Amino acid sequence: MTPAGPRKVAASSAALAGLSLVLAACSSGADPADYPDDDIDVIVPFSAGGPTDTVTRMIAEPMSEDLGVQLVVQNIDGAGGTVGAGQAATSDPDGYTVLMHHIGMSTAPALYEDLAYDPIADFKPVGLVTEVPMTIIASSDFEPETFEEFVTYVQENADTVTMAHAGEGSASNLCGLLLTDALGVEVTAVPYDGTGPAMAELVGGQVDFMCDQTTNTTGQITAGEVKAYAATTPERIEALPDLPTTTEGGQPDIQVSVWHGLYVPVETPDEVVSQLTDSLQVALADEKVIDQMADLGTAPVSEEQATPEAHATLLEEQTATWADIIGSGQGG
Ligand code: MLT
């Protein structure tokens, strides 16, 4: 008779655990077997009209078609992408909130002392999306005409020139730091909630220069709305064949490109993550997406890279790399 007590308790704990799982599933509206049966919010942690927003909208259309529900972009900007990422980390783990973020996912832990989330422990990656080259551009009335003239001008006028970026840890901030480090100068940095609004002020002449992704700069460069000095890639960019590289301009240390990935909160069921990954891969193989990306100087990553496993490995490596760079002061 003695064992009956504990057995009974064990049985009722199991029943309670089962019940609470059912209740949790009901309260978040999630039954992985029915997923997806409602719109999916995609948090973009930067302003509308910028490069992260552009890439997200490109893949949202084919993913919506594939999943049979709408992917709805929500721009939740601020603090170099950490506000939106923080909100995604604490959203219901049911697959109805997805985060699109970039290289800033891996730099934030080293830059923000009180970061409210852990990019590795609090998220499951869905997969890598694309890797985007950057360009060094300036307002059309900024004096220098070539990259070599730009380097000299910034070195001689460091106390007056202004550089736009999208907040600490943003891609434009990292590239800007790499650039000013290479040139051995400090300039006045002007932060925005994304390089979408930064671009508007650059075109308007309110800020002098910026280092930004081709997904946000190719249109303005080809339309002659901004001056373009250099591409931060080893080879010239196909969509901008006349733009020399930083290496051609004598600054080989200014090399950076920006990866983007999709994430869900860590408790999201694996079946749900798998469906999102499959749909991401459909979007990345879509001819329209491939063409749109090519026009903006980039391309979808391979199917092997667009998986949770490959992206988890990249995120861990990148987080360790940036912790070393930023910890040693090289990141500014
Ligand atoms: C950045 O610099 O991190 C990006 O340009 C952010 C954005 O999408 O606006």
Side-chain angles (χ1 to χ4, degrees):
M1 294 298 285
T2 350
R7 258 207 306 273
K8 202 168 163 195
V9 171
S12 31
S13 310
L16 277 176
L19 180 65
S20 62
L21 273 179
V22 171
L23 287 176
C26 289
S27 71
S28 64
D31 179 351
D34 294 336
Y35 182 80
D37 63 0
D38 203 352
D39 290 351
I40 298 172
D41 284 337
V42 185
I43 294 182
V44 168
F46 295 100
S47 309
T52 315
D53 184 72
T54 298
V55 166
T56 309
R57 288 175 199 274
M58 275 181 201
I59 62 160
E61 198 184 312
M63 283 183 75
S64 299
E65 270 169 35
D66 179 61
L67 291 167
V69 297
Q70 281 305 307
L71 266 70
V72 182
V73 174
Q74 308 284 355
N75 298 92
I76 302 177
D77 52 35
T82 60
V83 174
Q87 197 154 315
T90 55
S91 63
D92 285 339
D94 54 11
Y96 291 96
T97 306
V98 176
L99 171 70
M100 168 73 97
H101 205 344
H102 63 23
I103 194 166
M105 192 76 167
S106 64
T107 59
L111 287 167
Y112 290 84
E113 224 166 81
D114 299 319
L115 194 65
Y117 59 93
D118 180 330
I120 294 171
D122 293 340
F123 289 96
K124 269 184 191 167
V126 171
L128 194 66
V129 177
T130 184
E131 203 165 327
V132 186
M134 300 194 85
T135 51
I136 300 166
I137 60 167
S139 154
S140 54
D141 55 12
F142 197 50
E143 206 177 294
E145 294 296 337
T146 64
F147 183 55
E148 288 82 351
E149 285 175 24
F150 167 81
V151 167
T152 309
Y153 187 89
V154 171
Q155 285 172 328
E156 287 175 356
N157 299 279
D159 51 339
T160 55
V161 298
T162 53
M163 175 178 74
H165 69 73
E168 207 174 346
S170 65
S172 42
N173 174 231
L174 297 173
C175 185
L177 290 170
L178 209 60
L179 170 73
T180 49
D181 261 16
L183 271 47
V185 293
E186 272 184 36
V187 301
T188 303
V190 186
Y192 295 84
D193 285 335
T195 49
M199 177 65 89
E201 297 237 323
L202 190 95
V203 170
Q206 284 95 343
V207 65
D208 293 329
F209 76 93
M210 161 164 86
C211 184
D212 195 17
Q213 298 165 67
T214 54
T215 36
N216 199 41
T217 63
T218 305
Q220 278 84 357
I221 293 172
T222 47
E225 286 174 14
V226 296
K227 278 185 180 165
Y229 296 124
T232 66
T233 41
E235 307 293 331
R236 288 192 180 203
I237 300 163
E238 236 175 275
L240 296 166
D242 298 332
L243 190 65
T245 65
T246 44
T247 305
E248 288 174 61
Q251 298 292 334
D253 290 343
I254 309 170
Q255 300 273 338
V256 60
S257 61
V258 182
W259 51 263
H260 295 253
L262 282 184
Y263 308 85
V264 286
V266 71
E267 299 296 340
T268 307
D270 286 339
E271 308 91 287
V272 168
V273 178
S274 270
Q275 287 208 56
L276 287 167
T277 301
D278 289 349
S279 185
L280 170 64
Q281 295 190 351
V282 167
L284 297 182
D286 185 288
E287 287 302 327
K288 193 170 155 202
V289 170
I290 295 170
D291 289 349
Q292 283 173 330
M293 285 197 183
D295 286 347
L296 295 182
T298 186
V301 296
S302 69
E303 200 174 293
E304 292 72 39
Q305 290 171 292
T307 61
E309 300 73 25
H311 193 35
T313 306
L314 177 80
L315 182 62
E316 277 171 34
E317 282 169 5
Q318 284 277 290
T319 306
T321 302
W322 284 106
D324 278 354
I325 295 173
I326 294 164
S328 67
Q330 293 172 56

